[in-house]
Amino acid sequence: MSANKVHIFDTTLRDGEQVPGCKLNTKEKIELALKLEELGVDIIEAGFPISSPGDFASVNEISKIIKTASVCGLTRAVQKDIEVAAEALKYAQHPRIHTGIGTSDLHIKSKFNSTQDEILKRAVQAVKWAKNFVDDVEFYAEDAGRTGNEYLARVTEAVIKAGATVVNIPDTTGYCLPHQYGEKIAYLVNNVPNIDKAILSCHCHNDLGLATANSIAGIMAGARQIECTINGLGERAGNTSLEEVVMVIKQHKSLGFYTNINSKQLNPLSQLVSDTMRMPVQPNKAIVGSNAFSHSSGIHQDGFLKDSLTYESINPDEVGAGGSKIVLTARSGRSALAHRFHKLGFEFVRNDIDVLYSRFVLVADNKKEVKDEDLKELAKNYLQVITA
Ligand code: KIV
Ligand code: ZN
């Protein structure tokens, strides 16, 4: 395995599905899991098996059909959770149990009324218990973003010693700044003696809109797995968006990383997830929003029509977006208008366009977008006048 491969851990079916109104049934989860495998994700977190019989069934059925990706089930650091997850995962070709516990002072005191030593003991016991069922055990230190680095390093060392293959460092409340999150990962890389025996994973929430930046800071500091969801779905403001981190890695080759993701499938899968979860994608969402490759202002349209690279740093075909769009609005210019008339079959010279443009802006001022029908009407009226 190359040191520069970033493993993509998709949690659309677990953390993403925790969004109110986004609950999926087993059939829907299976359909999405197959598409995620086709996309090239390395790990599919299929659910939280002890949470409901339906989620147990989903993890169980997904385990039967997924061939290349690892299938993962979430648990608390509780024996029964781990046993149920192991049972749900029993048919998986590559099963992974994802167990863990809160490690910040806030979680230790307010949630567990416990102590650091006690929590460390429970973390180790959970990993050891999970190892009785599967080889691949990921440990999460919930609220690691607000956990002191020294204690986090002690927990990380102990769970790796207990057999954890991956240690997840969640910024559960999306609190960290990118340099802080990167420094946290770097601290673990430099201060955990057995760190070479495990992969560090970034699991960043988007409460401050920093999830993608934090995940990238994490891999630059030494992590090699990113936990993310399609469309950035997830609790509250969501998780790291899969399409964003994948394209940051692809566009910035100088970082030296790669993933296994087939980026051409990003837009079709984004749409499928949006439809299946009944959760619209915001139009200005990076990579997969309906406006991500639309150009509406005159200055941009003129530049784009001369050379698309002037206003697009990503080729829309590379992410399966089906091309760029020129949208005609009151902010559009003559170049875009002439271009659209040409596409509609009208060959106007510069003087015609000048006259048509003055009529176009009057129409555009009263509409959000000027459509082809409006342009045909304009052209028809104009041609009637000049040929009369
Ligand atoms: O955000 C979080 O801390 C989580 C863990 C359960 C991994 O989702
Ligand atoms: Zn989470």
Side-chain angles (χ1 to χ4, degrees):
M1 185 204 330
S2 158
N4 288 334
K5 174 173 174 183
V6 175
H7 295 82
I8 297 295
F9 176 114
D10 181 275
T11 183
T12 307
L13 305 182
R14 198 279 295 172
D15 219 332
E17 199 236 15
Q18 288 172 206
V19 176
C22 280
K23 199 198 142 315
L24 299 168
N25 61 36
T26 299
K27 189 167 162 282
E28 291 167 329
K29 277 200 170 191
I30 291 173
E31 184 191 6
L32 292 181
L34 288 167
K35 291 286 181 195
L36 287 166
E37 182 167 53
E38 211 180 299
L39 178 72
V41 309
D42 300 284
I43 303 106
I44 297 171
E45 188 164 48
F48 183 9
I50 202 161
S51 66
S52 74
D55 223 31
F56 178 95
S58 297
V59 176
N60 198 238
E61 293 303 321
I62 288 170
S63 295
K64 291 179 189 164
I65 51 156
I66 293 298
K67 299 281 177 284
T68 53
S70 298
V71 179
C72 177
L74 185 79
T75 82
R76 295 165 296 182
V78 170
Q79 281 200 1
K80 184 73 184 158
D81 280 30
I82 293 168
E83 288 158 17
V84 171
E87 180 64 21
L89 290 165
K90 72 178 176 197
Y91 300 111
Q93 307 264 345
H94 310 284
R96 176 181 292 185
I97 290 178
H98 189 191
T99 189
I101 194 161
T103 52
S104 64
D105 286 346
L106 205 60
H107 278 231
I108 293 175
K109 295 206 174 72
S110 306
K111 249 175 87 173
F112 302 115
N113 188 25
S114 187
T115 62
Q116 286 192 336
D117 287 346
E118 188 53 35
I119 292 297
L120 190 139
K121 217 188 288 170
R122 284 173 67 177
V124 167
Q125 277 168 355
V127 171
K128 284 191 173 160
W129 192 245
K131 284 297 261 195
N132 290 323
F133 305 98
V134 295
D135 290 334
D136 192 8
V137 175
E138 174 169 341
F139 175 81
Y140 64 85
E142 197 179 11
D143 205 18
R146 296 184 298 181
T147 301
N149 287 348
E150 232 174 273
Y151 178 61
L152 192 58
R154 270 177 61 207
V155 173
T156 303
E157 182 180 353
V159 295
I160 294 174
K161 195 160 165 238
T165 46
V166 179
V167 183
N168 177 9
I169 310 299
D171 185 19
T172 304
T173 59
Y175 171 76
C176 290
L177 294 168
H179 75 276
Q180 293 169 332
Y181 190 74
E183 282 164 15
K184 190 171 281 293
I185 298 291
Y187 184 91
L188 298 175
V189 169
N190 295 324
N191 291 281
V192 174
N194 53 0
I195 198 70
D196 58 312
K197 308 232 163 11
I199 289 176
L200 286 173
S201 181
C202 310
H203 179 113
C204 298
H205 279 266
N206 205 30
D207 299 65
L208 288 170
L210 293 171
T212 295
N214 284 348
S215 299
I216 298 297
I219 58 170
M220 288 171 74
R224 285 295 177 272
Q225 177 175 286
I226 295 180
E227 310 200 358
C228 45
T229 59
I230 300 287
N231 299 337
L233 288 168
E235 289 266 3
R236 306 181 310 280
N239 284 70
T240 301
S241 142
L242 181 148
E243 55 278 6
E244 291 175 14
V245 287
V246 163
M247 289 313 292
V248 171
I249 290 170
K250 196 162 183 192
Q251 291 296 98
H252 288 273
K253 298 221 168 18
S254 61
L255 291 174
F257 299 122
Y258 72 94
T259 72
N260 268 358
I261 300 297
N262 176 355
S263 62
K264 287 193 192 313
Q265 293 180 18
L266 289 173
N267 267 273
L269 187 48
S270 158
Q271 205 46 60
L272 180 67
V273 167
S274 168
D275 293 344
T276 313
M277 289 195 165
R278 298 157 288 275
M279 182 58 69
V281 179
Q282 72 189 62
N284 57 325
K285 170 80 182 62
I287 321 291
V288 293
S290 55
N291 286 345
F293 299 98
S294 292
H295 305 276
S296 73
S297 87
I299 296 171
H300 289 209
Q301 289 171 336
D302 183 52
F304 172 81
L305 289 169
K306 288 172 177 151
D307 180 346
S308 63
L309 291 177
T310 53
Y311 287 96
E312 277 180 357
S313 66
I314 302 169
N315 179 344
D317 295 334
E318 222 181 294
V319 293
S324 312
K325 271 190 290 181
I326 295 274
V327 181
L328 293 179
T329 71
R331 305 291 158 261
S332 299
R334 286 171 175 74
S335 308
L337 186 64
H339 170 78
R340 184 65 71 79
F341 274 133
H342 171 74
K343 283 188 86 177
L344 290 173
F346 299 101
E347 296 304 340
F348 291 122
V349 296
R350 181 78 206 194
N351 284 349
D352 298 325
I353 290 294
D354 283 343
V355 177
L356 282 160
Y357 184 73
S358 60
R359 296 179 188 180
F360 159 79
V361 284
L362 294 177
V363 176
D365 257 343
N366 291 312
K367 294 196 158 208
K368 291 210 184 304
E369 185 182 336
V370 179
K371 298 280 178 56
D372 287 350
E373 304 77 66
D374 304 310
L375 295 180
K376 283 181 198 161
E377 190 67 22
L378 272 177
K380 197 176 88 193
N381 292 343
Y382 177 70
L383 290 171
Q384 268 170 2
V385 173
I386 60 168
T387 54

